[in-house]
Amino acid sequence: MASMVVISTTAIPDHVGGALSRWLIEPTPGLYVGTVSARVRDELWSAVSASVGDGVAVLIHPADTEQGFAMRTAGQRRRHVIDFDGLQLIRFAANAVDTTPASETASEIVN
């Protein structure tokens, strides 16, 4: 079953944007929106995350969670998605590059 996906990108290579625009529309630069199957979504995300380079990409898609959606990120960024008791929240890193291990959870940060 197809569902809506949103991919936001910053400073990605041109060929990545071209690949995304084959499946999704680009209403503003770097923002791709469309309705695709889970398989196509995962294949697109694999291509984006593998070639994001110095850029940043965020994927938001429907999921069976309390929030109703899931987020995936790729690239160096100041904002990081963390899991807090099943909710995906955004944590800002003090520096542009975060030194916190990816496995650290929000409850460990708070304590």
Side-chain angles (χ1 to χ4, degrees):
M1 180 177 183
S3 60
M4 183 174 170
V5 298
V6 176
I7 298 178
S8 175
T9 62
T10 304
I12 60 169
D14 290 337
H15 71 275
V16 176
L20 287 172
S21 65
R22 290 184 189 119
W23 292 92
L24 310 169
I25 63 169
E26 188 178 11
T28 61
L31 181 67
Y32 300 88
V33 180
T35 303
V36 295
S37 68
R39 182 175 180 175
V40 171
R41 176 195 68 218
D42 292 341
E43 290 295 325
L44 285 172
W45 184 247
S46 293
V48 169
S49 60
S51 57
V52 73
D54 292 334
V56 175
V58 178
L59 166 67
I60 300 174
H61 63 90
D64 290 331
T65 65
E66 188 69 29
Q67 292 169 303
F69 62 88
M71 290 183 280
R72 300 182 200 175
T73 61
Q76 296 292 331
R77 63 212 165 276
R78 188 167 178 209
R79 294 174 175 92
H80 296 273
V81 178
I82 58 169
D83 182 76
F84 185 78
D85 294 333
L87 296 176
Q88 289 187 309
L89 302 175
I90 304 298
R91 179 173 60 93
F92 285 88
N95 300 340
V97 177
D98 187 19
T99 59
T100 306
S103 62
E104 186 174 4
T105 64
S107 59
E108 293 171 336
I109 295 169
V110 173
N111 293 332

